[in-house]
Amino acid sequence: EDPALLEAFEARVAADEFIEPKDWMPEAYRKTLVRQISQHAHSEIVGMLPEGNWITRAPSLRRKAVLLAKVQDEAGHGLYLYCAAETLGTSRDQMTEALLAGKAKYSTIFNYPTLTWADMGAIGWLVDGAAIMNQVPLQRTSYGPYARAMVKVCKEESFHQRQGYEIMTVLAGGTPEQKAMAQDALDRWWWPSLMMFGPPDDNSPNTAQSMRWRIKRDTNDALRQKFVDITVPQAEFLGLSVPDPDLAWNADKQGYDFGAIDWDEFYAVVRGEGPVAKERMAARRQAWQDGAWVREAADAHAAKRAARIAA
Ligand code: FAQ
C-alpha cells in the first residue's frame, strides 16, 4: 500500500473526518468494517427471532402492536446495515452465505430462549439498552455510511428500550406471580447482556486497531461498565435484584464493581453452542430457502428488462 495514501488516510481519521465509500482506505480497514457491519446486520436479523416468538402470544392488542413494530424495526436496521456494508464492495448474498456457512458471527445474546412474556420486557430493557450503549458512540465511527446508519438506528433503539422497561414496571408492580416473572427474566438475561459487549479489553484482539482507526470509539470494558452503572439503579427502581452477589458501589471510581463474567460460557456461545443456536440458524436457513423463488423471479425480471432495452 502506498505510504503517502496511508498517511493521508490516517490524518483524516485523526481529524475526525468521515471516510466515504469512494475514498481510498487500507484493505485491513475495509475488511474490519465488513466484518463488524455485517455481523451487526446479522445480529439485527437473527435478533428478530427471540421476540418474534411472542408476537402471537402478546397479552393484549396494544402489546402486540408495539412488539410487532419493534421487531419490524430490527428488520429495517438489518437491511440498512447490509446496505452500509455493500458500499465496501461486498454483496448481501455473500454476507448471508457467510452467516449460513457459520463463517460470520452474530451476537451471542440471540442464542438464549425467550421463555415467558417478561422476557420481552427484559430484552427491551437490557438487550436494547446494551445495544444503545454500544451504538450511540458508533454515530461517530469513522466510516460515514455506518455512522449515519447509527443515527436512525439509535433513535429506534431508544423507543425499544423504553417499551421494554415499561413492560418491566408493569410486571414488577403487579401480582406476586408477575413480579416473580420479572425477577426470573432479569436473572436469566443479566449476564448474557454483559457479554454482549465482547471479551475483556486484554483479550479483545480487534480493539486496539479499531480504536486507532476510530471504528470503535470506546473499549468493550468501558462500555460494559457504563451499562452496569446506568442499569443497576433502574433495577432498584423496579424493586428487583441484580443476580450478582459481588455487585457493590465503589465511591473511588464512582461506579459499580461487579462479579466475574463466565467467559467460558461466552466463548462456547460464540462457537455456536448457545442454548438455541441450532434453532436460530435453522430458522435463517429456512427463510433463505423459502425466499429463493423471489430472488430467482427478480433476476428473471431484470434479465427480461435488460433484453428488452437492448433490443
Ligand atoms: N457475540 O476483538 P473483539 C442488536 C467476537 S445489538 C458474538 O472485541 P470487536 C440490536 C468478535 O466478533 C447486537 N461474537 O471484536 C437488537 C470477534 O470475532 P471475529 C449487535 C462476539 O469486533 C436488540 C471476537 O469475538 N451489535 O443487534 C461478541 O472489536 C434487540 C473478538 O472480539 C453490534 O454488532 C458477541 N457478543 O468487538 C436487535 C454492534 N463479542 O469477528 C434485536 C457493533 C465479540 O474477529 C433485538 N459491533 N465477539 O471473528 C461492535 O461494536 C463490536 O463488533 C463488538 C466486538 C463490541 C461486538
Side-chain angles (χ1 to χ4, degrees):
E1 281 175 350
D2 184 338
L5 285 173
L6 186 60
E7 204 179 306
F9 168 85
E10 284 181 345
R12 287 186 62 195
V13 168
D16 270 336
E17 277 180 43
F18 285 128
I19 304 301
E20 297 298 337
K22 288 187 175 156
D23 295 341
W24 184 88
M25 61 185 82
E27 265 322 295
Y29 176 84
R30 186 185 299 276
K31 214 173 139 199
T32 296
L33 279 170
V34 168
R35 177 182 65 79
Q36 179 167 325
I37 302 173
S38 68
Q39 291 183 174
H40 193 166
H42 297 325
S43 302
E44 301 281 358
I45 299 296
V46 178
M48 296 168 74
L49 296 168
E51 290 167 287
N53 184 36
W54 278 88
I55 290 170
T56 55
R57 290 176 290 165
S60 71
L61 183 61
R62 175 176 165 265
R63 290 293 185 201
K64 181 169 176 159
V66 173
L67 185 61
L68 199 55
K70 195 248 187 220
V71 173
Q72 284 179 341
D73 284 350
E74 309 297 359
H77 298 175
L79 300 186
Y80 218 58
L81 285 162
Y82 284 129
C83 289
E86 280 183 325
T87 65
L88 292 155
T90 179
S91 72
R92 190 158 150 210
D93 280 7
Q94 278 173 317
M95 290 183 269
T96 304
E97 276 153 19
L99 173 72
L100 298 184
K103 287 188 208 138
K105 298 185 167 75
Y106 60 91
S107 183
T108 44
I109 193 75
F110 302 118
N111 292 302
Y112 293 85
T114 41
L115 303 179
T116 74
W117 172 254
D119 289 9
M120 300 304 99
I123 288 180
W125 172 34
L126 302 172
V127 176
D128 287 271
I132 297 171
M133 197 56 76
N134 165 280
Q135 287 168 187
V136 164
L138 290 177
Q139 294 176 107
R140 292 179 295 110
T141 189
S142 58
Y143 188 56
Y146 192 24
R148 289 188 289 274
M150 285 301 106
V151 175
K152 177 176 159 65
V153 168
C154 284
K155 286 189 179 142
E156 294 179 351
E157 299 289 25
S158 301
F159 151 66
H160 300 165
Q161 196 273 349
R162 293 186 75 103
Q163 68 87 34
Y165 194 66
E166 199 257 342
I167 291 174
M168 294 304 277
T169 60
V170 171
L171 291 175
T175 63
E177 288 81 2
Q178 286 174 316
K179 187 164 184 184
M181 251 170 75
Q183 181 64 55
D184 168 63
L186 171 57
D187 290 346
R188 284 181 290 105
W189 291 94
W190 176 256
W191 292 105
S193 297
L194 296 193
M195 293 176 195
M196 283 177 72
F197 294 94
D201 292 349
D202 55 11
N203 226 344
S204 163
N206 299 300
T207 291
Q209 183 61 70
S210 287
M211 293 285 284
R212 270 198 294 278
W213 277 333
R214 302 200 178 179
I215 292 173
K216 284 167 86 162
R217 305 301 312 237
D218 301 275
T219 70
N220 301 355
D221 284 333
L223 291 172
R224 188 167 16 245
Q225 181 69 52
K226 246 177 141 174
F227 175 75
V228 171
D229 292 346
I230 283 192
T231 311
V232 169
Q234 295 173 346
E236 280 166 5
F237 179 83
L238 292 171
L240 300 179
S241 51
V242 172
D244 179 358
D246 296 324
L247 190 72
W249 177 251
N250 179 331
D252 290 339
K253 74 171 187 189
Q254 286 293 301
Y256 287 91
D257 290 331
F258 51 94
I261 292 172
D262 182 350
W263 293 113
D264 290 342
E265 174 179 328
F266 170 78
Y267 287 113
V269 179
V270 170
R271 283 196 305 271
E273 296 162 22
V276 291
K278 285 202 177 67
E279 287 89 327
R280 297 294 185 243
M281 287 306 291
R284 288 317 307 150
R285 218 166 275 123
Q286 186 69 47
W288 188 244
Q289 278 167 20
D290 290 349
W293 71 272
V294 180
R295 294 191 298 278
E296 283 159 20
D299 281 347
H301 179 68
K304 254 195 225 166
R305 276 193 62 157
R308 210 175 299 135
I309 290 164

